[in-house]
């Protein structure tokens, strides 16, 4: 297999065993970027020099016989809403076109602590609002499996780069599915941790009560290793959990005997693509052969999840986005007075979807409608949380499709409501704050990847990692690469 298609774990051991050098690998990834970026468009900023510099240091350490960490010398990308000191962080928005953060997000500090190698910043829907990366103010990202299709979103660049071989691993953010759905569309693994497991400090806020950062990788082993680096309490994020972080690599065992898997009937309803349904059902059935127990469950408030999410997320977004006023930082379009300066700036620099959400959010929060919309949505959120609490009394994990369809065509979801409905299987997980992972579970006849979503109890990433790993070992989906290379 080409070097740029290997998993992080395999590249790490090749480096340690001196089968390759970090320089060779970094150059291979850079040539891959040069060969694919024009078509795929996964990156907003490429930091080649930085990656080469890291490679040099890594090779020197190896030559001296020093230990190297898991990500040393392995070029990876970071979604462009995670602050990287000295490297532009635009959120794919014109309003932050020239924003160079003076500080690092906590996850980036943690990555620096293990000498990670930054290859660049990845494309996304503007401020993470969307499910196709078509809302980026800068460029389209294309699905490496079929360039007429979207990579999913909002972390489209994070998933497309890992699938295309232009990053070995990446970090995305997930507010309502933005790690899992693009992972599913691009045939890679995406993990959304429990709310509070990974610090949000330095993640540009979209909807603060839902946002989480997580890894996008080629297999479950890589996801577990990256979780070991980024998870943990942070004094800079008061919502981050104080619970000790386990060693997630200990969950990389092929053992699901006696595991109770819940299969929610509401997730296998109308609107799901037949090929997706068949692949997901086959995956769940294969757990039975591995000794797990499949239990039919109900999550009765699922049907209200989209309405509740699309009130809560825009309400929080409208509040969070007030800071882009043309004064504090970011772009400015002048006006005659302060009000027109702010109006001109926001009118010119926010995209259509961001404006739509600001309007929905402010409407839902306004005095006359607060009770009817925002407060009601919060009550529904509690009911959805209770559905999960109830279900987890009788099962260890819940399995569902990640998305109702495989990747759709660019332009196919022009109607925003149609796109919102695509989030039906992912948003309840954020509303409940529980962890979820998407793993490849097959391909459609058109060779488009399909994802299986595994949902766990709060702070029980270990069990979803174990379940995902066991399935991955039973199949060879993870070995399939774009272009048929194996
Ligand atoms: N598609 C959802 C939205 O547009 C989820 C986005 C996300 O997780 N960042 O809000």
């Amino acid at each position: 297999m080409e070097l740029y298609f290997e998993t992080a774990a395999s590249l790490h051991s090749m480096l340690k065993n001196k089968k390759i050098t970090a320089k060779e690998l970094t150059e291979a990834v850079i040539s891959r970027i040069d060969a694919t970026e024009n078509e795929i468009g996964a990156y907003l900023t490429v930091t080649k020099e930085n990656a080469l510099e890291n490679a040099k240091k890594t090779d020197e350490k190896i030559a001296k016989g020093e230990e190297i960490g898991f990500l040393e010398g392995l070029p990876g990308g970071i979604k462009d809403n995670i602050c990287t000191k000295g490297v532009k962080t635009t959120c794919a928005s014109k309003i932050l076109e020239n924003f160079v953060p003076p500080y690092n997000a906590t996850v980036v500090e943690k990555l620096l602590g293990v000498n990670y190698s930054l290859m660049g910043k990845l494309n996304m829907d503007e401020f993470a609002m969307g499910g196709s990366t078509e809302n980026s103010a800068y460029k389209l990202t294309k699905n490496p499996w079929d360039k007429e299709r979207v990579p999913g979103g909002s972390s489209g660049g994070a998933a497309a780069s890992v699938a295309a071989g232009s990053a070995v691993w990446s970090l995305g953010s997930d507010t309502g599915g933005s790690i899992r759905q693009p992972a599913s569309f691009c045939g890679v693994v995406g993990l959304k941790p429990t709310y509070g497991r990974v610090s949000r400090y330095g993640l540009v806020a979209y909807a603060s009560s839902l946002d989480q950062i997580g890894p996008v990788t080629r297999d479950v082993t890589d996801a577990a290793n990256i979780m070991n680096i980024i998870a943990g309490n942070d004094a800079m994020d008061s919502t981050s959990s104080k619970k000790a972080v386990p060693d997630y690599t200990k969950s990389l065992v092929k053992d699901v005997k006696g595991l109770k898997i819940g299969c929610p009937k509401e997730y296998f309803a109308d609107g799901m693509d037949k090929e997706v349904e068949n692949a997901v059902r086959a995956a769940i059935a294969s757990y039975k052969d591995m000794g797990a127990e499949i239990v039919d469950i109900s999550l009765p408030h699922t049907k209200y999840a989209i309405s509740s999410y699309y009130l809560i997320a825009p309400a929080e977004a409208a509040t969070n986005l007030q800071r882009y006023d043309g004064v504090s930082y970011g772009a400015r379009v002048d006006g005659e007075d302060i009000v027109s300066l702010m109006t001109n700036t926001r009118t010119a620099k926010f995209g259509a979807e961001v404006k739509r959400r600001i309007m929905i959010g402010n409407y839902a929060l306004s005095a006359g409608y607060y009770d009817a919309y925002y407060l009601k949505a919060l009550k529904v959120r509690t009911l959805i949380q209770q559905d999960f609490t109830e279900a987890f009394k009788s099962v260890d994990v819940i399995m569902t499709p990640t998305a109702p369809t495989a990747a759709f065509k660019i332009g196919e979801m022009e109607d925003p409501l149609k796109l919102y409905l695509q989030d039906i299987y992912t948003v309840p997980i954020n509303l409940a704050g529980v962890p979820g992972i998407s793993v490849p579970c097959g391909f459609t006849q058109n060779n488009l990847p399909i994802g299986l979503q595994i949902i766990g109890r709060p702070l029980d990433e270990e069990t979803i990692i174990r379940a995902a790993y066991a399935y991955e070992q039973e199949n060879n989906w993870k070995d399939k690469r774009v272009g048929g290379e194996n």
Side-chain angles (χ1 to χ4, degrees):
M1 197 190 290
E2 299 287 350
L3 271 189
Y4 52 73
F5 272 148
E6 296 282 350
T7 64
S10 115
L11 291 166
H12 175 63
S13 77
M14 284 190 230
L15 280 176
K16 277 208 309 198
N17 300 327
K18 301 192 177 163
K19 293 216 172 95
I20 56 165
T21 64
K23 182 167 181 272
E24 261 175 81
L25 169 62
T26 305
E27 285 173 352
V29 174
I30 291 174
S31 332
R32 181 68 176 168
I33 291 177
D34 292 341
T36 57
E37 258 311 274
N38 267 349
E39 267 193 305
I40 303 293
Y43 283 91
L44 288 174
T45 303
V46 179
T47 54
K48 288 183 188 172
E49 282 72 31
N50 178 78
L52 287 166
E53 187 58 33
N54 179 275
K56 198 167 154 230
K57 283 193 200 139
T58 307
D59 286 333
E60 282 165 9
K61 269 175 96 171
I62 296 170
K64 280 194 236 153
E66 286 174 30
E67 281 289 310
I68 54 159
F70 185 78
L71 288 182
E72 282 195 71
L74 311 184
I78 293 189
K79 188 176 180 179
D80 214 24
N81 59 350
I82 299 173
C83 286
T84 40
K85 187 174 171 178
V87 180
K88 245 189 351 187
T89 299
T90 67
C91 291
S93 180
K94 291 282 181 196
I95 214 154
L96 287 176
E97 192 162 15
N98 296 312
F99 177 57
V100 179
Y103 70 104
N104 279 318
T106 295
V107 290
V108 174
E109 281 296 325
K110 284 177 182 264
L111 289 167
L112 280 170
V114 294
N115 302 317
Y116 90 118
S117 174
L118 180 67
M119 190 73 254
K121 302 296 296 287
L122 299 163
N123 199 19
M124 54 184 281
D125 286 299
E126 185 176 3
F127 284 105
M129 298 174 189
S132 65
T133 314
E134 289 165 290
N135 295 335
S136 167
Y138 298 102
K139 52 157 94 163
L140 277 180
T141 296
K142 307 212 172 121
N143 191 313
W145 294 93
D146 176 347
K147 290 167 200 112
E148 289 184 0
R149 292 175 189 269
V150 303
S154 61
S155 313
S161 58
V162 173
S166 51
V168 175
W169 58 275
S170 67
L171 285 190
S173 71
D174 189 314
T175 304
S178 280
I179 288 175
R180 291 159 288 155
Q181 182 253 28
S184 153
F185 280 14
C186 291
V188 293
V189 172
L191 192 157
K192 183 206 85 80
T194 307
Y195 184 75
R197 180 70 299 182
V198 173
S199 169
R200 289 181 296 112
Y201 179 72
L203 166 67
V204 179
Y206 161 17
S208 317
S209 78
L210 302 158
D211 299 338
Q212 266 294 286
I213 295 173
V216 179
T217 52
R218 295 195 179 123
D219 70 1
V220 178
T221 301
D222 289 358
N225 276 286
I226 294 177
M227 278 300 287
N228 275 0
I229 300 168
I230 63 172
N233 182 245
D234 178 14
M236 303 299 278
D237 173 3
S238 61
T239 60
S240 82
S241 168
K242 292 212 167 65
K243 198 179 163 203
V245 180
D247 177 355
Y248 294 109
T249 61
K250 293 216 171 101
S251 303
L252 300 171
V253 287
K254 199 185 155 191
D255 176 16
V256 290
K257 269 198 201 68
L259 186 79
K260 289 208 175 92
I261 299 172
C263 213
K265 63 169 191 252
E266 293 80 3
Y267 281 61
F268 291 86
D270 294 347
M272 192 195 305
D273 178 83
K274 250 298 155 265
E275 285 186 280
V276 170
E277 173 165 7
N278 293 342
V280 170
R281 285 201 190 277
I284 297 175
S286 78
Y287 277 95
K288 207 167 169 188
D289 302 334
M290 292 187 270
E293 193 187 321
I294 317 295
V295 185
D296 287 329
I297 59 162
S298 171
L299 297 167
H301 297 93
T302 303
K303 57 176 177 290
Y304 305 118
I306 295 277
S307 330
S308 156
Y309 174 86
Y310 277 100
L311 286 165
I312 294 171
E316 293 186 21
T319 311
N320 279 323
L321 267 52
Q322 278 176 18
R323 71 191 67 170
Y324 306 103
D325 53 9
V327 178
S328 325
Y329 44 73
R332 171 180 305 174
V333 179
D334 271 328
E336 284 150 23
D337 52 24
I338 185 70
V339 174
S340 67
L341 179 149
M342 287 180 185
T343 311
N344 293 348
T345 301
R346 289 167 70 90
T347 304
K349 301 296 180 180
F350 280 141
E353 184 60 28
V354 172
K355 286 179 187 153
R356 183 176 299 121
R357 303 223 185 172
I358 291 174
M359 283 162 69
I360 296 173
N362 281 328
Y363 183 82
L365 288 172
S366 61
Y369 295 101
Y370 183 92
D371 287 2
Y373 293 111
Y374 183 66
L375 192 64
K376 192 64 146 285
L378 288 185
K379 288 178 180 167
V380 172
R381 180 179 191 171
T382 303
L383 294 174
I384 289 169
Q385 277 164 347
Q386 285 169 355
D387 280 357
F388 281 95
T389 310
E390 206 45 47
F392 282 124
K393 285 183 186 157
S394 54
V395 298
D396 303 307
V397 293
I398 296 171
M399 292 194 189
T400 75
T402 305
T405 63
F408 44 85
K409 290 228 164 97
I410 293 168
E412 194 180 328
M413 297 283 170
E414 248 181 318
D415 173 2
L417 281 181
K418 244 170 103 184
L419 188 59
Y420 297 174
L421 291 173
Q422 280 274 328
D423 297 336
I424 179 64
Y425 304 137
T426 47
V427 295
I429 286 69
N430 301 69
L431 289 169
V434 295
I437 188 169
S438 179
V439 273
C441 72
F443 287 82
T444 65
Q445 282 187 339
N446 291 337
N447 204 31
L448 298 173
I450 300 172
L452 166 73
Q453 176 173 239
I454 309 174
I455 306 157
R457 295 189 176 100
L459 293 170
D460 189 15
E461 281 77 9
E462 288 161 289
T463 306
I464 59 171
I465 288 173
R466 177 158 61 90
Y469 179 80
Y471 174 72
E472 184 185 75
Q473 297 305 303
E474 276 289 299
N475 289 281
N476 46 15
W477 307 125
K478 74 169 193 317
D479 300 325
K480 207 169 147 174
R481 295 287 185 272
V482 166
E485 293 104 326
N486 246 313

